[in-house]
Amino acid sequence: MSRRKTERLLNLVICLLATRRPLSAEQIRHAVPGYDAGNDEAFQRMFERDKTELREIGIPVEVHRDPWDDEPGYRIMRQAYELPEITLEADEAAVLGLAAQVWQRATLAEAAGGALLKLRAAGVETEEYAAGPLELRVDTRDPAFPGLWEAVRDRRIVRFDYRAAGSEVLLTRTVEPWGVVSRRGRWYLVGHDRERDAPRVFRLSRISGTVTPVGRPGAVTVPEGVDIRSMVGYRDSLVAERVATVRVREGTCQWLRQVGSVRPGADGWDVVTIDFADPQWLAGSIVGFAADAEVLDPPDVRDAVIRRLKGTLA
């Protein structure tokens, strides 16, 4: 199954689970990313296929016919969809936890959240708790993550440009990836650096440009007994924490408000202070809020945000 189709089916399930009342096909068409909003016949064929596939794998898509409405409505009842309580061993729970973190990173969560917003904007009531699983629990907005995750999965060598701590110089690195690890809200690549012929840890926020696969899949072998989490923990403990001051518009930038300390400002703005270690990581976290966030201090974080915004504009 293609990634596009997988995302569409997942978004359809989330929408039908989240709604408090059955949705018409037209509402689903405009809310779920992936459906053709311009071709009626193509949408009907695709929607019918999607409903059939979901039912074949055991997802109960119900049809509700209201005599007062011209079109039937569709919904997935949570009680029929949810599994009974499952008991897992510790190792099984750890694997599922890792998979959940990766899904929360993916564009699937972002697209699904957008679908729920469309439903609410159209006046469709959704369950309040439905948005919970769609929230990003770990910051993985680093553009390098998808390419590195696939390289680790496929055991494939990668090449990328990397900016070392405290430097603006980009150096090309060729790495045999062993794993991608999250620690304290930051993501790291652990692997064998071919240029230095030694194990190294790379912070994803310092990778610039495209991650390029080199050679064939299956070429990387992870050494026996290597503990990539401890390697990342040791490196992270050497980095001193600093404090940034960010001006944010009232009612916006909820993630910044959650990770920092907020005090009232003036003229519709608040001031947030945030502890950080890596200016590039913080800049990548702030830049997505665009005109709703302005870095006041320190200068290197402010410059990093400006540099990213100029790059986007170019």
Side-chain angles (χ1 to χ4, degrees), residues 13 16 19 55 57 90-91 115-116 131 134 150 153 158 172 188-189 203 210 212 241 244 275 281 285-286 296 313:
V13 170
L16 296 182
T19 181
R55 287 168 177 152
I57 61 176
D91 56 346
L116 291 181
L134 305 178
E150 291 173 3
R153 180 197 64 194
V158 290
T172 300
Y188 301 87
L189 169 70
R203 188 173 291 179
T210 304
T212 304
E241 292 288 332
D275 294 332
W281 168 80
S285 302
I286 293 174
L296 303 178
L313 181 61

Side-chain angles (χ1 to χ4, degrees), residues 85-158:
E85 183 177 354
I86 299 174
T87 302
L88 299 174
E89 299 296 332
D91 56 346
E92 295 171 329
V95 171
L96 289 179
L98 175 61
Q101 283 189 356
V102 174
W103 184 86
Q104 287 162 352
R105 170 216 62 87
T107 54
L108 299 179
E110 192 171 323
L116 291 181
L117 288 176
K118 287 183 180 180
L119 286 175
R120 293 181 184 130
V124 176
E125 293 185 357
T126 60
E127 299 288 355
E128 291 300 323
Y129 56 82
L134 305 178
E135 294 175 357
L136 293 174
R137 306 293 177 83
V138 181
D139 180 3
T140 52
R141 284 172 285 187
D142 302 298
F145 184 95
L148 293 176
W149 174 260
E150 291 173 3
V152 171
R153 180 197 64 194
D154 299 337
R155 296 188 293 120
R156 193 172 187 180
I157 300 167
V158 290

Side-chain angles (χ1 to χ4, degrees), residues 280-300:
Q280 297 301 324
W281 168 80
L282 184 58
S285 302
I286 293 174
V287 74
F289 296 106
D292 290 328
E294 178 187 0
V295 178
L296 303 178
D297 192 68
D300 58 339

Side-chain angles (χ1 to χ4, degrees), residues 158-162 171-175 193 195-196 202:
V158 290
R159 183 174 292 132
F160 52 81
D161 292 333
Y162 188 74
L171 298 176
T172 300
R173 293 283 183 243
T174 305
V175 179
D193 187 336
E195 276 77 22
R196 298 185 180 184
F202 302 89

